[in-house]
Structures are given as structure tokens and as C-alpha cells.
Amino acid sequence: MKQIYIIALPFLVGTTPLQAESLDFALGKALFDRPWTSAPASTQATDGLGPLFNARSCVSCHPQNGRGKITKDKDGAIGGIGYVLRLGNADGTGDPVYGHQLQTNAIHGQKAEGRVFLKNHTYQLIDLAYGPMDISTRYAGRLSQPLHGLGLLEQVSDETILSHADPDDLDGDGISGRPNIINGQIGRFAWKATAPTLRIQAANAFFNDIGMSTPVHPQHAGDCTPSQTDCLNGPHGNSPQFENLEIDSQMLNLINSYLKGLRAPVYQPAEGIDLFKNVGCASCHLPELPLPNGDVIHPFSDLLLHDMGQALADGIKEGDADGQEWRTQPLWGSQETKLFLHDGRAKTVEEAINWHGGEATKAKENFLALPAADKQQLITFLNSL
Ligand code: HEC
Ligand code: HEC
């Protein structure tokens, strides 16, 4: 099985214990790569997809453990690799019919929920198969995120995260990060920090993206709502052999081991870090975070939520995160990024900075006021991460 261990990209060098060498990591990778099929299949170990889903495997949305791409089909509907449409409203509930995500695929005999078109940053939904959406439902794109180094972010202590929070901006610097608290735990993963652990994030992905039950979300029809009766009554792969689930605890734990073992990009100190700090980027994109074991990591995030202003707002509440709040996206690995921000709307780091508003307005203005040479140095620095 040795060959499956070779996953490291050249820029991924270890700061973590080499979990990548464990058998659990290899088995987890096999599950991460596995295309799930609809039930009943010849082997119960691979069935349970859907009935509604976005993609059949984790890897199809996180190719090489990286970020997705936005593509258009021949009619101009957008989709692509790792791009989904989140549904919700200001109260934090999903659409009464379509749930929390638009599932654009369905197994044989079932109807996909619809298709998405994007014109001038405005979404249009067509072919909605289950009637109109609720008038209060908002929708917004979410591009998949890179997965390297997440095991290290999981190790950062709650105390460290909370030490940077300043919800009422008591220090008056205009920056007031706060944690997203999910069932009493600090959220760390996904664009609005909705998942406290990688295991929960993997289960959320099975639920929303693939339509499979796990110990965390035992519903075999994933994001289908009570009004989607065909989906609820559709075939499923829950089986006694797997704790009456489609993905049992052992499988979920193996995927968790895989995610934990993905190493972080190496940080090489470079010119430009001083500018990064001076203009105020480092107030949220913390260059250094200590781990309980004494190591220091360089994710360029505080894992907190910030109000990023109207231009980035999606009006969707997720956990405590309101429609204008986003988790500071880690900047490590930016050299690999082709599309920035939660919905991939920015093609360069400069464009990404231009979309910053709310608590980040001052830092953006400081950036825009830099002499051309300094601006370039800061951009080069970001592209080196
Ligand atoms: C249909 C595409 C799709 C599939 C399939 C998918 N993901 Fe994702 N993944 C995404 C998107 C989109 C996000 C961002 C979600 C959000 O912010 O709500 C994400 C986020 C994540 C994150 C959080 C990254 C971070 O920086 O916080 C992890 C971890 C993850 N996915 C793991 C998985 C695993 C494990 C699987 C398989 C069980 C999986 N994903 C399947 C699209 C997908
Ligand atoms: C108030 C906190 C805050 C400050 C200050 C801030 N950012 Fe951000 N940054 C964020 C958040 C939150 C996101 C994610 C927003 C989204 O996806 O909608 C983000 C996203 C980004 C991204 C896109 C990352 C990706 O992988 O998609 C880049 C690049 C970036 N910031 C660079 C900067 C730079 C450079 C500065 C300083 C000029 C800066 N930021 C200042 C909070 C901040």
C-alpha cells in the first residue's frame, strides 16, 4: 500500500508529527477518494449516495486537497468542482423545502433541486424541481477550501483563540473578532467557522454534499426536508453492518485521521511581512499562533468571525455568524490559490483586498494608500505564502 502515501505536494513539508505515515491515514485517504454509489449496490461498503447530492466523493470537490474551481456548463449554468450554493436566512434556518444547500445532482429516479446561473454577481436559479423557494431564503456561493494544515488549526487551544476575541471592541481599534459557538464548542472550520472539529466538518460534508448518514447526522437522506418525500423515501444504504448508518464511526474516524495528517505549507519569512503588519492585515490574519506543545504555526488567521461589510455579505446566518460575518480565511498556501474569497469572486489577492470592508476597511484603505513599490512588495509577499 506504500504508493498511496505519496500525497505531499512539493510545498507541503512537515511541521506536524508524520501522521501521513500511519495506516489510518492511508485508509482515510481511500475513503476520501472513494466515489459513493446509490443503494442498493453490490457492496454495502460503498453505497448510500444521495438521493440528492452535489458530488459523489470528497476528492471531487477538493482535488489534490486544494480549492475548487467554478465552471459553466454549455447553457451557462455554474457549478464545477467544489462550488455549492448555500441556502438560508437571517434567522439561521434553511429553506423550508430546499434545506441548507441546493443539491444539483440526484440518483436515478429522483429530481435534482435546480441549477444556478451567475450574472454580475447575482444568482439566478432555474429548473427548481420542488416549487418556489421561500421568500426569505437567501443564497450564496461557497467554494471549497484547501485542506492542508487543518489538523494544526484543530490543535490551537480555545484559550488562544479567545485571547484574540474582542467582541465589543474594547481596545477601540475597529476590529472586534468573536468566535462562532456551535453547540458549546468554538467553530473553526468552513467559511463561517460552523464546524468545531474536522470530524464534524467531514460529517457535515457527508450530510450536505454527498447525502450520507454518519454518527453526527444519522439522517440517510442528508439535506432533504420533510416536504421532499420522494427523497426521504428513496433508497438508502443504512445497514446493520455499519451501525445502521451509511458511514459508520470507524469510517468517519479514518477520514478524520486523513484530514488531521495533511501537512501545512511551509512558511518562509519574507520581506513584506512588516508592511502586512503595518497596514493592519495582521490584526485578523495572525502570522503566528502558538500550539499547546510549544510549536508556533503560521496560518495567517485568528479563526474568529469578523464583520466584513455589505459587499461581502450574504444575509445568511450560520450558527452565531450573521450575514456579514466570515471567519478570517487562513492565507497559508495562497501561492496555490486561483480564486479567492468564500464564493471565489476574486482572481487575485489585490481584488480580494478590494472586497474587504466592515472591520477591515481601515486596513484596506492603508493598503490602497501605499506607494506603488510597497503595494507590489505586499502582493508578492501574499503570493509567496
Ligand atoms: C460538493 C463539493 C464538496 C464535497 C463533495 C466535499 N466538500 Fe468539503 N468543502 C466544500 C465547500 C464548498 C466547503 C466550504 C463550506 C462552507 O464554508 O460552508 C468545504 C469545506 C471543507 C472543509 C473545511 C476547510 C476549512 O478551511 O475550514 C473540510 C475539512 C472539508 N470540506 C472536508 C471534506 C470532506 C472530508 C469531504 C468528504 C466527506 C468533503 N469535504 C466533501 C465542498 C465540498
Ligand atoms: C477585520 C479582519 C480582517 C482584516 C483586517 C483583513 N482581513 Fe483579509 N480576510 C478576512 C476575512 C474574514 C476573509 C474571508 C472573507 C470572505 O471570504 O468573504 C479574508 C480574506 C482574505 C483573502 C482571501 C483569502 C482566500 O484564500 O480566499 C486575502 C488574500 C486577504 N484576506 C488578505 C488581506 C490583506 C492583505 C489584508 C490587509 C490589507 C487583510 N486581508 C485584512 C479578514 C480580514
Side-chain angles (χ1 to χ4, degrees):
M1 289 181 102
K2 204 80 194 160
Q3 70 278 18
I4 16 188
Y5 302 161
I6 304 168
I7 48 101
L9 298 171
F11 75 106
L12 299 171
V13 179
T15 53
T16 24
L18 294 181
Q19 294 179 25
E21 280 163 24
S22 79
L23 181 60
D24 283 2
F25 179 90
L27 294 171
K29 179 179 177 0
L31 293 171
F32 185 89
D33 291 349
R34 176 177 292 176
W36 302 93
T37 54
S38 56
S42 52
T43 155
Q44 288 180 335
T46 65
D47 75 5
L49 176 72
L52 305 187
F53 63 96
N54 289 94
R56 289 169 189 278
S57 65
C58 305
V59 72
S60 63
C61 288
H62 296 280
Q64 293 178 309
N65 303 309
R67 190 176 302 224
K69 293 189 181 96
I70 302 175
T71 57
K72 284 192 181 162
D73 73 10
K74 59 181 181 349
D75 303 327
I78 52 171
I81 300 168
Y83 184 83
V84 303
L85 201 70
R86 173 78 65 251
L87 311 174
N89 58 32
D91 300 330
T93 47
D95 185 82
V97 176
Y98 292 87
H100 293 274
Q101 189 163 301
L102 190 79
Q103 277 82 32
T104 50
N105 275 311
I107 61 168
H108 185 70
Q110 300 259 346
K111 290 177 292 188
E113 290 184 324
R115 292 197 292 160
V116 188
F117 287 77
L118 183 59
K119 289 201 179 99
N120 305 324
H121 299 296
T122 307
Y123 298 100
Q124 286 169 4
L125 301 185
I126 63 155
D127 300 340
L128 284 179
Y130 300 83
M133 265 188 202
D134 194 80
I135 188 113
S136 72
T137 300
R138 300 281 165 273
Y139 29 90
R142 293 276 195 282
L143 196 59
S144 59
Q145 296 154 308
L147 304 179
H148 46 237
L150 300 183
L152 295 173
L153 295 183
E154 200 170 56
Q155 286 173 36
V156 176
S157 72
D158 287 359
E159 293 68 36
T160 297
I161 297 176
L162 294 173
S163 72
H164 299 112
D166 183 14
D168 302 314
D169 193 19
L170 296 178
D171 65 6
D173 67 351
I175 301 202
S176 53
R178 59 177 191 140
N180 195 354
I181 304 293
I182 308 290
N183 299 326
Q185 286 181 283
I186 296 180
R188 293 160 189 250
F189 303 106
W191 290 102
K192 293 209 190 211
T194 44
T197 63
L198 290 170
R199 188 170 177 276
I200 293 177
Q201 174 62 38
N204 291 352
F206 274 119
F207 179 85
N208 282 312
D209 302 327
I210 310 182
M212 294 180 77
S213 56
T214 58
V216 180
H217 301 293
Q219 303 89 322
H220 59 71
D223 186 40
C224 288
T225 60
S227 60
Q228 293 174 307
T229 45
D230 285 354
C231 175
L232 293 182
N233 297 328
H236 64 80
N238 284 3
S239 71
Q241 196 189 338
F242 298 105
E243 303 167 1
N244 287 318
L245 295 166
E246 294 168 325
I247 301 294
D248 68 4
S249 36
Q250 193 194 8
M251 290 195 260
L252 191 59
N253 293 345
L254 289 171
I255 292 200
N256 188 30
S257 299
Y258 174 66
L259 295 173
K260 278 187 203 291
L262 295 171
R263 285 169 269 174
V266 192
Y267 173 60
Q268 274 153 350
E271 270 188 317
I273 181 76
D274 292 337
L275 284 167
F276 184 82
K277 291 179 179 165
N278 292 343
V279 301
C281 311
S283 309
C284 302
H285 296 282
L286 298 180
E288 294 184 349
L289 279 178
L291 296 184
N293 68 4
D295 285 355
V296 172
I297 56 169
H298 304 276
F300 292 84
S301 174
D302 55 6
L303 301 178
L304 294 171
L305 299 173
H306 296 276
D307 180 332
M308 294 299 285
Q310 258 307 314
L312 282 173
D314 67 358
I316 297 174
K317 184 170 188 245
E318 293 188 75
D320 290 342
D322 71 25
Q324 298 206 165
E325 286 178 310
W326 302 95
R327 175 197 72 168
T328 307
Q329 177 64 18
L331 300 179
W332 58 11
S334 283
Q335 55 172 293
E336 301 291 313
T337 305
K338 306 278 186 302
L339 294 174
F340 297 85
L341 299 173
H342 62 271
D343 53 6
R345 67 177 74 180
K347 293 201 171 61
T348 61
V349 288
E350 204 172 359
E351 266 179 65
I353 300 168
N354 277 315
W355 282 105
H356 280 50
E359 296 172 35
T361 306
K362 201 156 144 233
K364 174 178 72 177
E365 284 169 357
N366 292 341
F367 168 79
L368 293 173
L370 286 176
D374 286 354
K375 220 187 248 177
Q376 194 46 54
Q377 192 184 60
L378 183 46
I379 291 170
T380 307
F381 169 72
L382 293 166
N383 287 329
S384 77
L385 293 177

